[in-house]
Amino acid sequence: MIIKTFLLFFYIGVFSFGGFYASLPLVRHEFVDKLGFLTVSQFTDIILITGMAPGAAGINAATYIGYKLAGILGSFAAVLGIALPTVILLIPLMGLVVKYREKPVVKAAFCGLAPAVVALVVGTAVTLGKDTLVDIKSVIIAVIALALMRYTKLHPLYIIFGFGIVGLLL
Amino acid sequence: MTYSIKTMSSLFFIFLKLAIATFGGGMAMVPILKREAVETHNWLSEEQFVEMMVVTQSAPGVIAIKFAVYLGYRAAGLGGVFFALLGLSIPSVFIMTFLAALISSGQGMETVDKFFFGVRPTVVALILGVGLNMGRNSLKSFFDFALFLFCLVLLVFFSCHPLLVILIGALAGIAKNKLGPQADKEVAP
């Protein structure tokens, strides 16, 4: 069971282009439809819980499903499985970047990549913000958080939990 | 090459923090990651942080795992990868079990909702803050701004895949260097 868990998550790791949520149909197909390891309602619960848990959705789901299937060792097998394709793929890719970083064409590419990456980060904020900043209170929280980040040395972790507590008190 | 135990334990604790304190997916990790990797530990320069974003967005997989592998390997080799992943996954067993219990008890949802009421706008603000901060570093010319806006419109209004935006960025950079004799000084060898 542990080896099976590992292999299944390895498979999911290989095919999860675009993050964990993009691979949900695959997870459902493997664990619910094909193997029957999880019921539809267990699967829905897992999505609900990973949605509110902090950290990486992929890791959260992997540890949780792994745990349900084969205990703590199942959790480790699942995480190892989902992470291993990334380790195998990413490290050579990093080597390539280091090797070719000084080439003129790569330098030129990075001139365009820098603005594109800024757009990715700002774009994420805008997309999330469209659904999140919906009333006066949430806008005020966002403005204060932005100011705290910009003008103080406060670690983002404290800002996040600080406003979580503010949310509980409001 | 040997890496210090201190670096590995820093990696472990950074990813432990990320596992506990990031809400809303891989991109929500960027504010803490940048603070730790660029400002606190100097493992990456501003340019290398852009490199990390490009590589992690281009490869398949879960974004948080890609960050752990990338930063772990850069800072402390394979051992660093191991400790970063360990830090990222240990809290999840406890958190998931705790949340499952909270939900099945039936009264937890309201508390969770209130907590998120404060957290969600904060996460948006922090991601925006990092974006603006990176923008100050890398948007220096009209070309940079135009490309940034073009990519932003593609992402926000056309829900374009990040990989396509990365490709457009790279091609635009190369095209500009090939076409313009007035290419930026940084590009000239």
Side-chain angles (χ1 to χ4, degrees):
Chain A
M1 197 63 182
I2 288 168
I3 292 167
K4 208 169 186 179
T5 309
F6 169 78
L7 289 175
L8 274 168
F9 276 98
F10 184 84
Y11 173 68
I12 289 166
V14 171
F15 289 101
S16 58
F17 224 108
F20 172 71
Y21 284 101
S23 66
L24 273 181
L26 192 65
V27 176
R28 191 198 147 108
H29 179 72
E30 287 300 321
F31 288 94
V32 182
D33 302 338
K34 223 163 104 186
L35 298 164
F37 285 165
L38 300 167
T39 65
V40 172
S41 88
Q42 274 175 322
F43 181 74
T44 321
D45 275 354
I46 288 169
I47 298 171
L48 180 73
I49 300 169
T50 47
M52 53 169 106
I59 297 242
N60 285 334
T63 49
Y64 195 69
I65 297 174
Y67 188 77
K68 289 268 171 214
L69 297 181
I72 283 284
L73 281 177
S75 288
F76 278 108
V79 171
L80 201 65
I82 205 170
L84 204 58
T86 307
V87 175
I88 295 170
L89 194 87
L90 206 60
I91 291 174
L93 201 61
M94 289 167 65
L96 283 180
V97 172
V98 172
K99 195 171 166 199
Y100 293 110
R101 167 195 279 162
E102 298 304 322
K103 296 254 180 204
V105 68
V106 176
K107 281 197 150 185
F110 269 95
C111 273
L113 283 168
V117 167
V118 177
L120 282 178
V121 179
V122 174
T124 307
V126 173
T127 311
L128 285 176
K130 276 200 293 196
D131 298 331
T132 307
L133 307 179
V134 287
D135 56 7
I136 293 291
K137 277 185 194 164
S138 55
V139 172
I140 291 173
I141 290 174
V143 169
I144 299 174
L146 192 61
L148 284 175
M149 189 194 186
R150 178 85 174 78
Y151 298 108
T152 71
K153 283 270 148 211
L154 223 54
H155 196 287
L157 189 145
Y158 298 122
I159 306 179
I160 292 169
F161 277 109
F163 281 107
I165 293 166
V166 169
L168 291 178
L169 299 176
L170 276 177
Chain B
M1 221 184 326
T2 52
Y3 296 104
S4 74
I5 302 289
K6 199 165 162 279
T7 309
M8 302 213 191
S9 74
S10 301
L11 280 165
F12 175 79
F13 283 110
I14 289 168
F15 280 91
L16 195 75
K17 280 184 216 168
L18 286 169
I20 295 168
T22 47
F23 298 89
M27 273 293 184
M29 299 188 161
V30 174
I32 294 182
L33 264 181
K34 184 152 188 291
R35 164 68 71 100
E36 300 281 358
V38 180
E39 286 152 42
T40 309
H41 294 282
N42 289 310
W43 289 326
L44 304 173
S45 66
E46 294 279 351
E47 289 76 27
Q48 287 168 341
F49 193 79
V50 172
E51 259 178 35
M52 177 175 87
M53 296 297 291
V54 170
V55 174
T56 50
Q57 290 287 330
S58 312
V62 175
I63 300 172
I65 297 176
K66 289 183 280 188
F67 284 146
V69 172
Y70 195 100
L71 197 61
Y73 193 73
R74 245 318 110 77
L78 279 178
V81 173
F82 177 78
F83 280 102
L85 284 173
L86 199 65
L88 190 62
S89 44
I90 281 182
S92 132
V93 184
F94 301 103
I95 292 168
M96 293 293 288
T97 314
F98 171 75
L99 282 175
L102 195 70
I103 287 169
S104 58
S105 79
Q107 52 195 344
M109 283 309 281
E110 204 191 333
T111 315
V112 172
D113 277 346
K114 280 184 166 175
F115 181 75
F116 272 104
F117 182 78
V119 165
R120 278 201 197 97
T122 310
V123 170
V124 172
L126 294 183
I127 298 176
L128 184 66
V130 167
L132 296 178
N133 173 284
M134 292 174 77
R136 262 199 306 279
N137 287 309
S138 40
L139 304 183
K140 287 172 182 147
S141 61
F142 175 75
F143 166 81
D144 294 340
F145 268 103
L147 184 56
F148 162 74
L149 281 178
F150 180 65
C151 292
L152 190 65
V153 167
L154 284 181
L155 284 163
V156 174
F157 294 107
F158 298 95
S159 308
C160 198
H161 196 284
L163 193 58
L164 190 61
V165 171
I166 296 273
L167 271 175
I168 290 171
L171 290 176
I174 294 168
K176 177 194 166 221
N177 192 38
K178 287 263 191 288
L179 299 175
Q182 75 283 13
D184 282 6
K185 279 180 239 102
E186 317 127 48
V187 185

